[in-house]
Amino acid sequence: MSWHMPILVMKFGGTSVATLDRIARASKRVAREVANGYDVIVIVSAMAGKTNELVGWVEETSPMYDAREYDAVVSSGENVTAGLMALRLQEMDIPARSWQGWQVPLMTTGVHSAARIVDIPPAKILAKFAEGMRVAVVAGFQGISPDGRITTLGRGGSDTTAVAFAAAFEAERCDIYTDVDGVYTTDPRIEDKARKLDKIAFEEMLELASLGAKVLQTRSVELAMRYKVKLRVLSSFEEYDPEAGTLVCDEEEIVESKAVSGVAYSRDEAKMTLISVADRPGIAAAIFGPLSEAGVNVDMIVQNISEEGRTDMTFSCPVGQVARAEKAMQKAKESGAINYHDLVADTDVAKVSIVGIGMRSQTGIAAKMFDVLAREGINIKVITTSEIKISVLIDRKYMELAVQSLHDAFELEKAG
Ligand code: ASP
Ligand code: MG
């Protein structure tokens, strides 16, 4: 067994490595942690905007592109930043080298452009740490498939790379440096009283991440929860402060929690209703099977009470997928798999949700939410709940108002 210092994983997002100056700045943060006694694994994103540019080049060259070549091209932005940061650290006399995914190797499934991490054998990097290397700068977002091709992990995948490394190397913590200084009770652009949270539970973060608080890739939070990786989200633009940011952690570490921790929203939703569907066993499968095959991300589902063997089925999906959903339903109708009278799409809706682990032990939260919306004259079109979340679909024009009044009513501007 090779000896090494405690390990810290530091991930820098695209805006934190957008220019050579910013790479230098990020490198100083890394140097500080090296001085603090850590061996550091740095995970880098591509420079801001680079991945979009690369995706554009691929699409322009080949509209029906080969996903393996897409990954070969799109993964390259991270190679540049990894090499540049290693060079910058070397300039600071810190023993560092870059690693591309395949060199580690970060092994993934063969699902190109959306690969999942299968294994990260730590031996090679640990051996280098034992030889005196202090920083491994790893290109995020990329890996190698079972048949030796380069893969990528889906947009935002560097977060997942970072958490997976932290788990594989049993790192003390995984610091995610980004352009916001933490996770907020809601979007500060909508509610100026939004407050930065010191701590948030994995489960809450998962709800917020999948609800569109685009701070962390959802998959990275799932991984962190599974392996209990302590995650910290913080800004690379602020002065160094060991207490900075938001800690995403196990529920047990949060001593006291309010019923509601945050208000999330998703602006571009659509509500689709299949009117008068024959109600029989297997009908839901006959509807949602084809929708899922067509790549429609169905979120909320409501089946109405049926009358004389017929019912209405309502579901929500991203507004950009309405045409796809309509086509899939039309096809299913023509094939005789389902039978409905009409399909009505309401494309002017948004989803607003309140999230909090405290909901498990406190009652009356849903009633309070509905009351707040009622007082603002906001009509609720669909409601869904989970143990720690209540979501409503409302007219899009009321979205900001709903977020603000819920933030107010649950006093989220106040700590603890
Ligand atoms: N550069 C990749 C992207 O923009 C991966 C990442 O930054 O997380 O999706
Ligand atoms: Mg990101």
Side-chain angles (χ1 to χ4, degrees), residues 274 286-287 289-291 293-295 323-340 343:
L274 287 158
I287 293 171
L291 285 172
E293 274 159 37
R324 219 185 287 175
E326 283 171 340
K327 219 195 228 157
M329 290 297 88
Q330 192 60 39
K331 220 170 110 191
K333 190 178 184 179
E334 278 158 17
S335 76
I338 56 173
N339 165 344
Y340 58 87
L343 176 56

Side-chain angles (χ1 to χ4, degrees), residues 200-222:
I200 185 167
F202 289 127
E203 280 192 272
E204 293 173 322
M205 190 61 221
L206 210 49
E207 295 290 359
L208 294 170
S210 58
L211 288 169
K214 293 188 184 68
V215 196
L216 291 170
Q217 195 192 36
T218 306
R219 179 95 190 103
S220 73
V221 185
E222 287 169 1

Side-chain angles (χ1 to χ4, degrees), residues 121 141 160 194 377:
F141 180 52
T160 302

Side-chain angles (χ1 to χ4, degrees), residues 96-144:
R97 68 157 269 195
S98 68
W99 300 75
Q100 296 184 3
W102 66 272
Q103 294 173 306
V104 175
L106 187 149
M107 302 197 278
T108 72
T109 60
V111 185
H112 286 276
S113 84
R116 290 203 162 213
I117 299 173
V118 175
D119 194 19
I120 306 179
K124 281 191 189 169
I125 287 181
L126 286 181
K128 288 290 170 194
F129 279 143
E131 282 170 22
M133 176 185 73
R134 298 301 306 281
V135 184
V137 189
V138 179
F141 180 52
Q142 52 170 264
I144 181 170

